Amino acid sequence: MSKKAIGFMDSGVGGLTVAKLAMQELQNENIAYLGDEARLPYGEKTKEEIQQYSLQIANFLIKKEDIKMLVIACNTATSYALDYLRERISIPVIGVVNPGSIAAVNNTRTNRVGLIATNGTVKSGAYEKAIKKINNNVDVFSQGCPRFVPMVEKQEYKKDNTQEIVNSDLSTINTDNVDTLILGCTHFPIMRELIQKSVGDSVILIDPGYETVKQIKKILQNNDIENKENDEVTYSFYTTGDANNFDKVANEWLNYDVHAKHLPIKELEEL
Ligand code: DGL
């Protein structure tokens, strides 16, 4: 049993979609969240940069927040840095790609699964690898949607012309005849309604966060590090970007009074 916090990391506010589900399902657990907004988008960075940034964040959360496990609540960082982090830090680390793949394979009836993600995640082939390992008969049709991340970060997805942008960016996926579509970037569940409208109600949208939280629960149990005390929980938030902007998106998404601390990149670089 451990009262230590679970660490969550993302390039920005996207990982809050996973953290929110964890807050609902793991109500005794303390959470420490870091969004690396100053270096976003990870989807356009090199593998080496993503590995370096991810390790800095992991080290920060371990040193400053004494976290008991790390959730890479970012598909791009999972695709490039999950194994890298597991080799370098001693606490349990989980990503979102394997859980998302399990959920997609469980839901498809036609074995035609779509993936929308950052260009980095698409290029890595991480989902294809994970899905083929589970069921070699499932085909994956991928589309990079880099415009969606800034639309969520700046809350621009609320503007009038957004549906047209979404329709245009999903036009290829919409001709691939998939029956299941993975929201393969943690920012995308915030735009879920627009995406569902574009692909139509017959396509099942997969938010990897749900399966990830189930797996977090299992890891806590298997390592005997759940918090069994029903005390008031603490949620702490850090951003390397603008704390006011982070708070605005986070307050709305989590329905919680978030006061993120600004973390200068310099402090991460020194770790
Ligand atoms: N939220 C991140 C993901 O799941 C990516 C956003 C970015 O490109 O920084 O991949």
Side-chain angles (χ1 to χ4, degrees):
M1 130 96 192
S2 168
K3 290 187 178 190
K4 291 181 185 181
I6 302 173
F8 283 77
M9 60 160 284
D10 181 43
S11 60
V13 294
L16 294 173
T17 62
V18 187
K20 180 177 180 172
L21 299 173
M23 289 168 182
Q24 289 164 353
E25 292 300 315
L26 310 167
Q27 291 184 0
N28 291 346
E29 298 298 337
N30 297 303
I31 284 174
Y33 184 100
L34 198 157
D36 192 7
E37 290 179 299
R39 298 188 290 199
L40 175 138
Y42 278 17
E44 304 297 320
K45 299 282 186 297
T46 65
K47 173 175 126 194
E48 288 72 24
E49 284 169 323
I50 294 166
Q51 290 179 339
Q52 185 194 8
Y53 299 166
S54 301
L55 186 58
Q56 288 169 350
I57 294 170
N59 282 333
F60 173 84
L61 290 171
I62 290 168
K63 284 193 184 139
K64 294 281 172 9
E65 291 281 337
D66 195 21
I67 57 168
K68 60 185 173 185
M69 79 171 282
L70 177 69
V71 182
I72 310 179
C74 171
N75 292 267
T76 317
T78 301
S79 301
Y80 290 106
L82 175 63
D83 294 338
Y84 183 85
L85 289 187
R86 281 186 172 152
E87 283 161 18
R88 284 164 180 80
I89 62 177
S90 56
I91 55 171
V93 186
I94 182 177
V96 285
V97 171
N98 212 41
S101 302
I102 293 168
V105 171
N106 285 343
N107 275 280
T108 182
R109 297 157 309 239
T110 60
N111 286 348
R112 295 175 74 85
V113 169
L115 166 72
I116 52 171
T118 64
N119 286 329
T121 298
V122 169
K123 231 181 346 181
S124 76
Y127 269 102
E128 279 89 341
K129 256 177 262 159
I131 285 174
K132 290 283 179 196
K133 214 166 153 188
I134 302 165
N135 183 344
N136 199 26
N137 295 322
V138 176
D139 289 322
V140 182
F141 301 84
S142 304
Q143 174 69 57
C145 296
R147 288 204 283 183
F148 294 0
V149 173
M151 276 162 65
V152 169
E153 287 286 332
K154 297 182 197 149
Q155 293 201 312
E156 281 170 4
Y157 68 94
K158 293 178 177 176
K159 286 188 178 165
D160 287 347
N161 63 340
T162 320
Q163 191 66 56
E164 285 152 42
I165 297 173
V166 172
N167 291 346
S168 147
D169 288 6
L170 298 185
S171 58
T172 313
I173 276 289
N174 276 333
T175 58
D176 284 331
N177 268 324
V178 300
D179 72 343
T180 302
L181 180 65
I182 303 169
L183 304 177
C185 170
T186 51
H187 283 74
F188 295 178
I190 296 178
M191 291 174 55
R192 187 182 183 117
E193 273 178 41
L194 293 152
I195 294 167
Q196 187 79 69
K197 209 164 176 188
S198 179
V199 297
D201 285 339
S202 61
V203 176
I204 300 164
L205 297 188
I206 301 293
D207 174 353
Y210 287 92
E211 185 63 32
T212 304
V213 171
K214 280 192 208 161
Q215 306 228 355
I216 296 171
K217 205 171 187 170
K218 273 191 207 153
I219 293 174
L220 294 175
Q221 284 167 350
N222 292 345
N223 290 277
D224 199 20
I225 50 172
E226 303 157 274
N227 188 0
K228 293 187 179 132
E229 304 278 332
N230 207 356
D231 304 336
E232 207 179 309
V233 287
T234 307
Y235 300 144
S236 34
F237 300 90
Y238 297 90
T239 175
T240 56
D242 178 53
N244 288 330
N245 185 60
F246 183 94
D247 289 351
K248 215 160 61 189
V249 185
N251 279 327
E252 186 177 312
W253 183 251
L254 300 177
N255 200 11
Y256 181 81
D257 194 18
V258 175
H259 294 280
K261 294 182 199 102
H262 170 71
L263 176 69
I265 285 293
K266 246 187 148 194
E267 275 186 45
L268 279 180
E269 285 171 349
E270 280 159 10
L271 289 166

